[in-house]
Amino acid sequence: MTDGAAKILKTMQDEPIFVKAYENLTSRDAQVFWTSGQWMTEKQGGSDVANGTDTYALKQADGSYQLYGYKWFSSATDADMSITLARTVNADGQTIQGNKGLSLFYLETKDSQGNFNNIQIQRLKNKLGTRQLPTAELLLDGATAYKISEEGRGIPGISAMLTISRLHNVIASVGNMRRVVNLAVDYAHKRKAFGRNIIEHPLHAQTLARLEVETRAATLFMMELARLFGLDENDMATDDQVHLLRLLTPIAKLYTAKQAVAVASEGLECFGGQGYMEDTGLPLLLRDSQVLPIWEGTTNILSLDVLRSVEKSNGHNLESFYKTIHSKIKVAVNMPHLSSWCTRVSQGAIDVVEFADNNRNELEMAARDFSYSLARIYMGALLLEHASHENSTRDDATAAVRWCQQELTPVIMNSNNAEYEDEVCKDYWNVLGCVK
């Protein structure tokens, strides 16, 4: 959130208050450095920010605004500032509903004397995990704020912050995965059972190896996303790379978050009963991982965002996806031990792009499987590319092959099983007791 806030304020260096905030957010001096919150969620909204935001902004004579509203899930409550959304109230006391009524605002949480900026903490959230990061319900009762977007452009204005936050979510997912896998492998080399170290039992070694493959794939995905973001941030990205960044950001966030929870859960099991004991610190890894699929958009919300990105680009980002897949495997395809897996990845990319072109009416129902398919295919290409490098090891090739052996295109498999047809959807509603 701090990184994202700095990204937004970097473009607003014409106002001294924003210049100071940017300098604080990017300072390396601990006495000067600021952190930032991101206050969007309200009681009525959740992910439906456009229709669920009831915070109102009243313009003051000096050009500032006073905010009145209730922020229900305010992460980083101890931050020095925050970026938030609110509806401006016009001279007639009216507001505009929906996206077009929302603008983006900057506020500092405390004044120069250290008093809260007309912000009342109603209660701290009793969360499953990430308890070291305070989250609260906040009442804004005339908090002084400054508009930093064009009128009615709040959601587009905060998009840069969301992109960075999602990248950081991917980084957190990968970091948690690597930590739990390293701990489990180290433990397996030291823990003896049935006369030998448990790493020497083939079934346990297989379990750990599968976790390692997941972690390696996620790590490469994280680095690829960061590379694309860096190119875009420095105006060095090609059109294909811009399209790819828009497509891959929600995909990487949703898929690595799911991986992180699964790896953490399996990783704890590798410690037996010790993995369930709080005094080992291990349960914290699972609790903290569980928020990753929720922060910055749940899996379903981001899957729908993937569809929006495809629609808004008129399919150009899928074309960029397909071209990039083939570019990444161009060396590996000529290596005997990798060529057949390159063919599998390439065919998967063809099948998924064709599915999107030919099944538009089914895409909403298939959104999650569609996103998973794009993730697995791209991660497969990254692993194959890595394994084809001149300095690669046998382990790199093994990881690539093991990844590509799984079902790479769940959307095709489930489509062939008629999972997305209207009658199947009606069956789901019937099972859930919902009449449609």
Side-chain angles (χ1 to χ4, degrees), residues 175-388:
N176 279 17
M177 292 167 68
R178 175 49 64 199
R179 184 179 180 189
V180 74
V181 170
N182 281 5
L183 287 171
V185 171
D186 181 69
Y187 183 75
H189 280 281
K190 298 171 181 176
R191 165 70 170 154
K192 290 185 181 293
F194 305 104
R196 50 182 171 168
N197 289 336
I198 59 176
I199 193 69
E200 298 174 34
H201 292 280
L203 182 58
H204 193 63
Q206 178 194 67
T207 300
L208 292 173
R210 288 174 174 172
L211 297 181
E212 175 66 25
V213 170
E214 294 286 336
T215 304
R216 290 190 181 200
T219 301
L220 289 176
F221 208 179
M222 172 194 72
M223 298 301 291
E224 174 74 351
L225 190 64
R227 181 184 73 86
L228 291 170
F229 184 82
L231 290 170
D232 182 63
E233 193 171 42
N234 289 282
D235 298 322
M236 297 170 61
T238 64
D239 288 343
D240 280 336
Q241 288 168 336
V242 171
H243 284 309
L244 203 56
L245 177 62
R246 176 64 184 92
L247 178 69
L248 293 183
T249 298
I251 291 173
K253 188 275 179 186
L254 71 87
Y255 198 83
T256 58
K258 284 295 191 183
Q259 284 180 296
V261 176
V263 168
S265 179
E266 189 73 59
L268 261 62
E269 190 176 336
C270 292
F271 294 88
Q274 295 296 342
Y276 201 65
M277 297 297 107
E278 288 288 355
D279 54 3
T280 66
L282 295 170
L284 178 66
L285 298 177
L286 180 58
R287 288 203 305 273
D288 283 357
S289 294
Q290 189 60 64
V291 77
L292 295 169
I294 298 172
W295 268 346
E296 307 307 340
T298 61
T299 306
N300 286 348
I301 290 296
L302 290 179
S303 296
L304 295 174
D305 188 42
V306 171
L307 298 188
R308 280 193 296 273
S309 76
V310 173
E311 182 180 357
K312 287 184 178 180
S313 73
N314 293 317
H316 290 312
N317 55 12
L318 287 182
E319 294 175 11
S320 301
F321 175 88
Y322 180 77
K323 287 191 290 185
T324 304
I325 292 294
H326 282 270
S327 174
K328 290 189 176 300
I329 63 176
K330 64 183 179 182
V331 175
V333 75
N334 295 312
M335 304 176 77
H337 62 300
L338 298 176
S339 61
S340 64
W341 304 107
C342 291
T343 301
R344 195 159 192 265
V345 166
S346 176
Q347 187 59 51
I350 293 171
D351 292 343
V352 172
V353 172
E354 288 183 350
F355 175 84
D357 287 339
N358 300 328
N359 298 275
R360 296 183 183 276
N361 292 336
E362 297 181 357
L363 276 177
E364 181 175 349
M365 184 72 167
R368 180 184 283 232
D369 292 338
F370 179 66
S371 298
Y372 282 16
S373 300
L374 293 174
R376 291 180 185 178
I377 291 166
Y378 203 86
M379 293 162 95
L382 290 171
L383 285 162
L384 288 165
E385 179 187 42
H386 187 67
S388 67

